[in-house]
Amino acid sequence: MLKIEVETIGLPALSAVLGKTVRVDMEGGASLGDLVDRITRRFGPEARQVLLDRDGRLDLTVQVMLNDEGFIPRDDLSGRLLKDGDRVRFMLLVCGG
């Protein structure tokens, strides 16, 4: 069993459902994509509305960071395997000019 720390930054609607930080238990061999699926199933439609677009893919306004690696490209979420103790942050994509 993997213990994954999930943090939300700049996503108040998601923080209201999950809390600022929550631990999510995952099976070995789980990916970041599996974690998104687990969160949307565990925390229901409110989490799904924030994290996913109409087609069930990660919303373009949400960025995912794994540990201190920086942002993980959306196309890599299913291929990035989690390890026990990983920290995953869901952050609002902020643009400016």
Side-chain angles (χ1 to χ4, degrees):
M1 187 68 60
L2 308 175
K3 295 173 186 357
I4 308 301
E5 180 181 320
V6 176
E7 183 179 356
T8 60
I9 300 171
L11 297 164
L14 189 60
S15 294
V17 176
L18 270 68
K20 181 133 174 84
T21 304
V22 66
R23 191 183 86 192
V24 178
D25 294 332
M26 300 292 294
E27 297 294 324
S31 69
L32 280 169
D34 296 327
L35 176 65
V36 172
D37 290 341
R38 171 73 53 94
I39 289 170
T40 57
R41 281 187 276 117
R42 179 174 165 189
F43 294 97
E46 294 88 357
R48 182 177 175 79
Q49 184 176 8
V50 174
L51 289 175
L52 303 180
D53 64 16
R54 274 185 262 173
D55 299 322
R57 293 185 301 248
L58 187 67
D59 193 277
L60 292 175
T61 64
V62 177
Q63 292 292 322
V64 179
M65 183 180 275
L66 177 61
N67 300 315
D68 294 321
E69 294 180 39
F71 297 119
I72 306 299
R74 283 168 178 65
D75 293 341
D76 293 349
L77 294 180
S78 294
R80 293 301 300 268
L81 297 182
L82 296 167
K83 300 181 303 291
D84 189 44
D86 276 345
R87 182 175 66 173
V88 177
R89 287 175 268 174
F90 291 98
M91 305 170 72
L92 179 65
L93 174 65
V94 179
C95 297

